[in-house]
Amino acid sequence: MIRPTPVDTTFSLLDLLPTGVFVLRADFTIRFWNSCMVTWTGISTGQAEGAHILELFPSLKNPAVLSRISQIFDGGPAVIFSPLFHPHLIPCATMDGTLRVLKISCIPMTGISARDDSGILVLVVIDDVTDLTHLVNAYREKKGVAERQLEELTKAQDALCKANNKLSVLASITRHDILNQLMGLRAYLELSKEDVKDPVVQEYIKKEEQAAEAIEWQIKFARNYQDIGMQAPKWHVLSETINAAIRDFQVPGVEVTVAVDGVEVFAEPLLEKVFVTLVENSFRHGDHVTRMGFSVKETADGLLLTYCDNGVGITLEDKKNLFKKGFGKHTGLGLFLLKEILSITDITITEAGEPGKGVRFVMTVPKGAYRFGTTDVPQTDELHPGNH
Amino acid sequence: MKTIDTDTLDAIRELVNIGVGKAAGQLNQMTGSPIRLQIPTITLVPFADILSAEKSILPGDVLSAVTLDFNGTLSGITAVVFPPESAILLVMVLTGEKEESPDLDAMRVEALKEVGNIIINGVMGSIANVLGERLTYSIPCYTEGSFASIAERRSTTAADEWVILARTNFLIEALHIEGDILLILEVGSLDHLVESILRTGNREGAG
């Protein structure tokens, strides 16, 4: 009776893998050839198994390749052939006939119980990284384009900076000259007032003085406005910036709370002046302020940075024009400039206080323009000096 | 504290020297530039010290490393470690690519892994030859991180276990590439190693 040849199922599981896999004996004959290899190479299992790998793929005869595989049979570790150095070491075609880019790992297998094998077998695992290669190449190309654009932008920015500086110097000199002339004009107006007795002309002089005062205010405003945006925004450790701003406002009987630990905000370098102005305004206009405070709260829209006091607050009438140019008593930076300074990095500011109960300025810092350092930010209601 | 006699340390240094020398030869072939090797430093330390960030023997948070675990009569881990700039420079030299500010992307990591694989196999081949016994190896891995996080991959070594750390710094001066070849050997497996080294030494002496 003829007994059927027993089927070797030692490696049958490897047939299910979606990667190319084959097993080599020490004499470089193929012991197993999976179905993925059949598809990729067009070499059937019957043709491959038992055949010599170097006859099927002469590219493997390269001494730099062959010696490394041989080392595995001598007891050495696994060997890797990377796609950059050996993209088509074993030619495998795609459906459209182009060669797949391959990553090949040769792994020693010991202790495999099999009918005709003794010693080490080598498991060769072939990953198709063609798509990955295309993605990486596309990424490199885009990165190259981005780098070139960045270089051009940097050059343009440098040129703009230089031009801006020149304009700034010119504007500064012009302002200085105008103020000098203005001082002369006001002196002569003062002399004219003394010499001229005609009440009609006196009225004209009064109007001329008002006009001169307005010119002076506009020149000073232009000086302050010009500083905005001159330097690139930067990350501010909020507690440090606020503490620096309030340093000169330590008044007995006035308590200042700063609850912003661990928060950093990306803003114009003039941010400290924003806080100075807010506190200065509380002292100047708050009437009976005894508490002031800065606090933060993270919301879905961003970080809310709130400044409050317990003074007289702002009337509903004043609230309408609060952030308009020219509003106020023409001292300090003015809330219009504050708003401009903050808007450089898309920070908005609103006043939400109740008249008679104190001011409540809420600055909304957008996502990406704030980050947390070492201390956690309170997630509950922010501190309010009026709630103490 | 554990101690190991000078003869043993010398024997290990000699063994590492042979392995690293062979690896340097291969690196030399690949790059076509001479490799300057330092004499290996051999230290006996608790594995916990290697895992400790404060006591890190190699500075830097983003080292590029190819590692290989081995077990048998000798157990431990071998690693080729590069500062990131050297890693990318080496790959660029070997692939001949030209790029202004290259990244160590997925394809280049595979290339670096192959280079590390060749170096490590050179080292381990020499050691296995001296031992005269087969070891079992893991598949080579690429890791990025501090030296502590690289060594952490050796999960089978207990933190309180004493290990021998062999470090050889190499420099490819012409290409401004440097790196380290490191071996972390479990002390428990040393007796056999020393015996093998001495036996080989005697044999060579007799020959």
Side-chain angles (χ1 to χ4, degrees), chain B residues 1 75 121 130 179 181 190:
Chain B
M1 190 187 140
S75 297
N121 287 12
V130 173
I181 298 171
L190 283 183

Side-chain angles (χ1 to χ4, degrees), chain A residues 68 71 73-86 103 107 120 132-133 136 139-140 143 147, chain B residues 68 94-95 97 99 101-103 105-108 110-111 113-115 117-118 121 124 134-135 137 139-140:
Chain A
R68 289 177 66 199
Q71 278 173 5
F73 290 114
D74 292 339
V79 165
I80 292 165
F81 295 102
S82 67
L84 267 183
F85 295 138
H86 319 273
K103 180 179 111 178
I107 305 156
I120 295 171
L132 177 68
T133 309
V136 169
Y139 158 76
R140 286 182 193 170
K143 184 173 160 266
E147 278 172 351
Chain B
L68 183 85
L94 294 176
T95 58
E97 294 174 292
E99 210 175 298
S101 51
D103 287 329
D105 57 37
M107 304 303 287
R108 290 177 184 142
E110 286 303 327
K113 206 155 96 176
E114 180 171 347
V115 175
N117 178 229
I118 293 170
N121 287 12
M124 293 316 294
R134 281 182 178 170
L135 303 172
Y137 303 97
I139 294 171

Side-chain angles (χ1 to χ4, degrees), chain B residues 141-156:
Chain B
C141 283
Y142 174 79
T143 316
E144 249 174 40
S146 64
F147 180 61
S149 68
I150 293 164
E152 221 169 33
R153 295 190 61 86
R154 179 71 190 176
S155 54
T156 51

Side-chain angles (χ1 to χ4, degrees), chain A residues 281-326:
Chain A
N281 281 349
S282 287
F283 277 108
R284 206 184 291 275
H285 311 297
D287 193 32
H288 55 262
V289 172
T290 56
R291 291 193 199 109
M292 304 169 180
F294 290 89
S295 61
V296 284
K297 181 188 178 185
E298 194 180 15
T299 67
D301 295 332
L303 186 83
L304 302 185
L305 165 60
T306 306
Y307 169 74
C308 306
D309 70 22
N310 64 346
V312 294
I314 297 165
T315 63
L316 291 174
E317 189 56 31
D318 279 353
K319 275 174 186 262
K320 290 177 195 163
N321 302 311
L322 202 57
F323 294 104
K324 287 188 180 157
K325 187 180 164 196

Side-chain angles (χ1 to χ4, degrees), chain A residues 30 33-49 51 56-57 90-91:
Chain A
I30 298 167
W33 188 253
N34 85 340
S35 54
C36 190
M37 287 305 294
V38 175
T39 312
W40 286 0
T41 60
I43 299 170
S44 70
T45 307
Q47 288 171 304
E49 288 183 357
L56 290 179
F57 302 107
I90 292 176

